[in-house]
Amino acid sequence: MNKVVANADEAIKDIESGATLMLGGFGLCGIPENCISALVRKGVKDLTCISNNAGVDDFGIGLMLQQKQVKKMVSSYVGENAEFERQLLSGELEVELIPQGTLATRCMAAGYGMPAVYLLAGVGTEIAEGKELRTFNGKEYLLEEAFDSDFAIVKAWKGDTMGNLIFKDTARNFNPLMAMAGKITIAEVEELVQPGELDPNFVHVPGVYVHRIFQGSDYEKRIEQRTVRAKA
Amino acid sequence: MGLNKEQIAQRIAKELEDGFYVNLGIGIPTLVANYIPEGVNVVLQSENGLLGMGPFPFEGDEDADMINAGKQTITKLPGSAIFDSAMSFGMIRAGKIHLTVLGAMEVADNGDIANWKIPGKMVKGMGGAMDLVAAAKNIIVAMQHTNPKGESKLLPKCTLPLTGVHCVKKIVTDLGVFDITEDGFVCIEYAPGVSIDEIKAKTAGRLTIAADVKEITF
């Protein structure tokens, strides 16, 4: 078993144009920076990207949008990106907006081997159009299907060479769910360690879900909204 | 005339009860955290995966891995817990979050809410709003009573795409506090300096004035 690859370019080398990708992160927090850069270098196009947000103009998935590599975004909130808005209004980019909890749970369902789940969010709204409804205990729910994604690309804080992952603070967000949901899961980590160095009691994603792992480098970890209070 | 944003937040904070787990949305709802009454311990949830959200970090202590749902740098308090996005919405869906406070573009007198989309103008997405309004036990909307054109945001029926149906229980606006019942909006409190006539004039949906209506106090 060898899951360790040298770098992001090697990790994504078999991602071709037209692929469906899950990309972890919330806003710019916990995004797989190294793999996004590698995808921009590789120049693959017509990608369908499942990701809660679409980055900002010059960082995150925004870098892929600038190069017109994305055919479709599946997200819950895309409000921080002017180029995104331009491509959307001009019809170059297709967008499917999904409630955030539904997005997370459709990832979870895939990772747990469940084809679909019944969820409450969006009942009575345009999100419900065309979806199967079912009533449980007098309440209506929407049938939401698990995502089917060729690749999941996630960022973890620490990982070992067996693929076990640990996340830090709110950089966890969608990363574990997507890691569990990809047909092929690629994890970039800030610190790659040997088996035995992670306490198994504190592993967030077991290595069984992870196919490729590498130690990332040069993390910018950009802050979207820097809010502070003055020292007393 | 009427309440400013801070005062709207301050009035909503009076609804907090000891032991509540609370989700505060972006904008005026975020300010509610500044007015939590003394002796009332609440735990703030941020739907990107945190229970126990604390104040903004001191300058120099900000951490890119520690943000709230508005993407602002924040801190975690002792006793916090971090979890993934599915668990975050799982606890919302399962009814573990006692109160959700969020903003709105329109609220209808049957409790419908619209706050995510203006067709042809603003299509940024619903984020977690649809999940929250569908599941939270108690939803309070914090908003201005009228839009910038002076038109009522308390309507007989929402004109914008809905975020959720029959879900809003209470609204606090610059003009007053309104419960939503089978009779529509019920004004239970009015802002200092605001007349009942002004509230009637600026409310397009069905409105009744509570028999024991009183001035808002803080």
Side-chain angles (χ1 to χ4, degrees), chain A residues 55-70:
Chain A
V56 296
D57 277 323
D58 61 347
F59 200 58
I61 294 175
L63 297 170
M64 291 158 68
L65 289 163
Q66 272 184 7
Q67 302 302 315
K68 302 201 167 61
Q69 294 176 270
V70 183

Side-chain angles (χ1 to χ4, degrees), chain B:
Chain B
M1 218 51 112
L3 304 186
N4 62 30
K5 290 178 181 178
E6 294 284 343
Q7 289 169 317
I8 292 174
Q10 200 175 350
R11 173 60 189 81
I12 290 172
K14 286 176 68 180
E15 303 291 324
L16 300 174
E17 293 175 26
D18 195 47
F20 265 17
Y21 287 84
V22 180
N23 182 290
L24 300 176
I26 295 162
I28 299 174
T30 305
L31 302 173
V32 173
N34 300 331
Y35 298 100
I36 298 168
E38 212 170 308
V40 173
N41 287 305
V42 301
V43 177
L44 299 180
Q45 195 231 25
S46 190
E47 66 266 25
N48 55 321
L50 169 65
L51 276 170
M53 178 165 58
F56 295 150
F58 289 120
E59 210 166 339
D61 291 345
E62 61 271 28
D63 178 353
D65 290 336
M66 201 62 231
I67 64 168
N68 64 17
K71 284 103 178 173
Q72 298 171 310
T73 45
I74 41 124
T75 54
K76 50 186 188 288
L77 297 173
S80 286
I82 299 277
F83 35 85
D84 66 54
S85 299
M87 187 180 282
S88 184
F89 285 95
M91 65 184 69
I92 289 166
R93 226 180 265 133
K96 308 297 181 188
I97 302 298
H98 300 93
L99 175 65
T100 288
V101 184
L102 77 176
M105 297 172 186
E106 296 176 345
V107 178
D109 61 24
N110 66 352
D112 289 358
I113 177 172
N115 72 350
W116 75 282
K117 184 176 182 182
I118 304 174
K121 277 190 188 160
M122 187 204 85
V123 190
K124 294 184 173 197
M126 65 294 280
M130 278 193 185
D131 311 272
L132 281 160
V133 300
K137 283 180 189 161
N138 192 7
I139 297 168
I140 300 181
V141 165
M143 67 176 190
Q144 302 300 320
H145 206 94
T146 56
N147 66 22
K149 289 187 210 157
E151 297 159 343
S152 182
K153 293 167 70 173
L154 283 71
L155 301 172
K157 193 171 189 296
C158 291
T159 64
L160 295 169
L162 294 178
T163 309
V165 294
H166 308 300
C167 52
V168 179
K169 304 283 193 297
K170 192 185 279 286
I171 311 173
V172 179
T173 76
D174 49 329
L175 302 187
V177 182
F178 304 84
D179 283 336
I180 294 182
T181 71
E182 286 180 2
D183 298 325
F185 302 114
V186 178
C187 178
I188 57 168
E189 295 176 33
Y190 55 89
V194 170
S195 70
I196 296 294
D197 283 345
E198 182 180 356
I199 288 171
K200 285 180 176 169
K202 290 182 174 171
T203 304
R206 287 177 298 144
L207 173 71
T208 50
I209 309 297
D212 57 348
V213 68
K214 57 182 198 286
E215 187 172 287
I216 293 175
T217 53
F218 298 103

Side-chain angles (χ1 to χ4, degrees), chain A residues 69-137:
Chain A
Q69 294 176 270
V70 183
K71 180 183 71 179
K72 181 178 179 184
M73 280 301 309
V74 180
S75 303
S76 86
Y77 190 82
V78 292
E80 348 271 0
N81 192 320
E83 173 62 13
F84 181 95
E85 200 167 355
R86 191 197 66 71
Q87 289 185 22
L88 176 61
L89 294 172
S90 71
E92 292 165 62
L93 180 66
E94 196 185 328
V95 178
E96 185 180 350
L97 292 167
I98 295 180
Q100 198 174 125
T102 299
L103 184 72
T105 308
R106 288 176 63 187
C107 293
M108 190 195 81
Y112 278 77
M114 303 185 292
V117 286
Y118 284 102
L119 300 177
L120 196 56
V123 171
T125 76
E126 64 183 48
I127 298 302
E129 285 167 20
K131 285 186 184 150
E132 186 181 324
L133 277 167
R134 187 159 162 191
T135 302
F136 297 93
N137 300 320

Side-chain angles (χ1 to χ4, degrees), chain A residues 21-72:
Chain A
L21 315 178
M22 286 178 166
L23 294 135
F26 182 95
L28 302 178
C29 181
I31 60 172
E33 293 182 26
N34 283 203
C35 283
I36 289 171
S37 298
L39 287 164
V40 171
R41 278 194 295 275
K42 188 162 194 253
V44 284
K45 296 207 184 306
D46 297 322
L47 300 171
T48 295
C49 294
I50 301 167
S51 179
N52 189 56
N53 312 91
V56 296
D57 277 323
D58 61 347
F59 200 58
I61 294 175
L63 297 170
M64 291 158 68
L65 289 163
Q66 272 184 7
Q67 302 302 315
K68 302 201 167 61
Q69 294 176 270
V70 183
K71 180 183 71 179
K72 181 178 179 184

